[in-house]
Amino acid sequence: MDILLSQLFAGLSLGSVLLLAALGLALTFGQMGVINMAHGEFMMAGAYTAFVVQGVIGSAGISLLVALPLGFVVGGLLGLLLEATLIHRMYHRPLDTLLVTWGVALVLQQVARDVFGAPNVDVTAPEWLSGAVTIGDVTLPKTRLFILTVAIVCVATLSIALKATPLGRRIRAVVQNRDLAETSGVSSRGTDRLTFFIGSGLAGIAGVALTLLGSIGPTLGTSYIVDAFLVVVAGGIGQIKGTVIAATALGLMQAFFEYSTTASVAKVLVFVVIVAFLQVRPQGLVTVRTRSLV
Amino acid sequence: MRPRTHAGTRSLGALSIAALAAGALTACGAQVDTAGGEPSEATGAGCVDTSGDTVKIGFLNSLSGTMAISEQTVHDSLQLAASEINADGGVLGKELEIVTEDGQSEPTVFAEKATKLITSDCVAAVFGGWTSASRKAMLPVFESQDSLLFYPVQYEGLESSPNIFYTGATTNQQIVPGLDYLAEQGVESLFLVGSDYVFPRTANKIINAYAEAHGIEVLGEEYAPLGHTDFSTIVNKVRSADADAVFNTLNGDSNVAFFKEYSNAGLGPDDMPVLSVSIAEEEIGGIGVENVEGQLTAWNYYQTVDTPENAAFVEAFQAEYGADRVTSDPMEAAYDSLYLWKGMVEKAESFDVADVQEAADGVSFDAPEGTVTVNGDNHHIAKTALIGRIGDDGLIYTEWSSDGPIEPDPFLEGYDWAEGLS
């Protein structure tokens, strides 16, 4: 029973990591149709932001809290730069964006290698996040509780921003019908930029959070980008709700499959489930209904 | 006109899956052991030119790709050894001329570049390789071209080639002493954690055989795919198995995620010590000292080894590459390999492959780790096993050492319990 609860938490926690990695993609890939292979490298930039901030501030306790918003800004600015220089020339050309952003990803990895060196660097977890909370026989590492919280806050903020603010309304309008939105006076150009800024910024936040769990090196992003795309595709393109459900489901599946088999087999099983699911529901869990033809 | 419909969504989805597949393929490419391409029939080592004042040798390390992190350090210490030897008058009076090639972390590239070094650069010997996949890809090249490879990394054993000298540890100089140490500490149960490829799987086969013969219970055996980033489930399994110790054969970045999870979950060296065979000084910085302090490692060399040769080696290395650099076991084994080759050549008074092979037995070198001696039969070297404990300064301190150098036994023929493993 205890191990079931431990695994339940492990699954939810893995889900929250996947969600953080995928949330920004749900915006840029889902809502704008841009396949951004450099999304993982924006996470990497966020992680290195945490490293630099820790070097400047010194105290691990404060630096994490400073790094979270700063990681958002760094990721966002990188995204903005990418959008303004390359991606805005290639909307409607998904294959080209795929190749171009992959190239950008490789360039960013090499830049990180040149600036910070090839070996991994370390970000010390703050004192208040070390150790675990024990309830009965179930151990909940504090870092994972923290990441779960960060994920929930990000999703809540994003949903409120999309639903209740004028900015969110513009984004949704452009997603649902770009031409109609433009005719109604919404600047789709400005909206695109903003969406990309927010999506990439979320990758930055994910990167900062991941410093608590894994290695911080030039290839950090590549470890997560595949899973992040899976979450977005399975969740249904263009929907935050779908992304949340898919991330949670994938996290739980991985945790329980891995517990009853092995890590390698669990990965295979998760892929099989996703492929089978997409056969039945190619559009993903949740989709936007529009009235447009074709 | 850019309507969003199911059809559009579907094609985007398909496209992204294709992209994922492409990404996954390239990610795996580095690990896959694609067999070495058949080398073309050529005269091979016969073209080595020793008539002038110089002699060519090849350094073949991955200077790009996923293994560059580790192999660059080996390359650095090879360069150091070469410049020391040249400053000291070279080998048989001839200055070493280094030809550097990049193995690009791809076994097939290692095989191609090895062929190039032997047949077109005409080098007298090649130094390098790291992953077992790269070594296995190069092996047929060196055998068919009858040239020499010096391989500097500890590995899973069960191999011996007349054309390769293995200057890192084989299993009976690293894993078996590690188990001896744990048994001596009263460990009665073990949990095995490793990456999912040849080295950990072979190592764990040996560990299981040892455990069975010595009354140690193996409570679990878990493998994570290379590059695995989430260890919460594996740590949960380790915790609930509650073994006396964990034997860790994880490789690469997975160690970072594993040890962060391990210490975040409140486990430490006092509850359940972890003995690792792939974490050296170089990796500790990236894992974070606070996550591995007090844990155990098994190697044949640490930066803290107290010999005059090591003091000189560390000083020379840091003078060349910076005071913040650390030295590790594979780097030291690579440094030794060049000196051992020099010893063999000088004993043979010839650069010829057959003469060097003939002269190899008994050649020794006062290495930073202590004296090492070449075994002419299996081409491995006798070296002392050291169990170390990671200190709060990120260096590793010797906790236990074997009684003198251990004779290499790559096929574990001298161990009754290992019967049937090879």
Side-chain angles (χ1 to χ4, degrees), chain B residues 120-168:
Chain B
S120 99
D121 294 317
C122 298
V123 298
V126 176
F127 300 79
W130 181 293
T131 63
S132 289
S134 72
R135 188 190 65 254
K136 288 198 183 292
M138 287 189 286
L139 187 141
V141 176
F142 282 92
E143 289 190 345
S144 69
Q145 303 287 344
D146 195 26
S147 185
L148 290 176
L149 169 69
F150 285 76
Y151 173 76
V153 185
Q154 50 81 228
Y155 80 114
E156 67 279 0
L158 307 180
E159 189 181 294
S160 173
S161 162
N163 296 91
I164 301 182
F165 284 95
Y166 307 79
T167 66

Side-chain angles (χ1 to χ4, degrees), chain A residues 3 6-7 10 14 29-30 32-33 35 37 92 94-95 98 102 118-124 131-132 139 141 143-144 175 178-179 211-216 219 223-224 226 229-230 233 237 254-255 258-259 261-264 267 278 282-283 287 290 292-294, chain B residues 1-7 9-10 12-13 15-17 19-20 22-24 26 65 68-69 196 201 221-225 227-234 236-237 239-240 252-254 256-258 260-261 263-266 282 284-291:
Chain A
I3 193 71
S6 295
Q7 279 310 104
L14 179 56
F29 176 54
M32 301 166 72
I35 300 180
M37 296 297 281
H92 321 269
L95 260 184
L98 176 88
W102 196 13
N120 290 328
V121 297
D122 177 44
V123 174
T124 315
T139 316
T143 47
R144 289 189 173 268
V175 167
R178 182 170 291 258
D179 298 319
T211 61
L212 297 170
L213 292 184
S215 60
I216 305 147
T219 55
S223 323
Y224 293 95
V226 172
F229 268 110
L230 279 183
V233 173
I237 288 161
Q254 174 75 27
E258 190 174 329
Y259 184 71
T261 61
T262 69
S264 306
K267 278 231 154 73
L278 289 179
Q283 69 275 37
T287 43
T290 71
S292 53
L293 301 162
V294 181
Chain B
M1 186 65 192
R2 189 166 169 280
R4 301 197 50 92
T5 65
H6 284 180
T9 317
R10 184 170 194 165
L12 260 184
L15 197 55
S16 64
I17 293 280
L20 295 185
T26 42
I69 292 179
D196 206 354
R201 289 221 175 234
E221 188 173 337
E222 287 294 324
Y223 296 97
H228 194 56
T229 49
D230 196 285
F231 279 86
S232 48
T233 301
I234 287 180
N236 273 343
K237 287 185 184 179
R239 174 202 298 285
S240 54
D253 288 354
S254 292
V256 184
F258 172 72
K260 279 190 179 173
E261 189 67 38
S263 70
N264 284 342
E282 198 70 36
I284 291 172
I287 299 174
V289 180
E290 68 280 5
N291 296 314

Side-chain angles (χ1 to χ4, degrees), chain A residues 27 32 46-47 60 64 69 79 97 134 144 163 166 183 194 222 233 244 277:
Chain A
L27 272 182
M32 301 166 72
L64 180 67
T97 55
T134 315
R144 289 189 173 268
K163 285 217 174 75
T183 1
L194 204 64
T222 49
V233 173
V244 175
F277 173 74

Side-chain angles (χ1 to χ4, degrees), chain B residues 15 22 118 174 188 260 307 337 369 404:
Chain B
L15 197 55
I118 300 166
Q174 185 191 27
E188 287 170 354
K260 279 190 179 173
T307 61
S337 68
E369 67 180 74

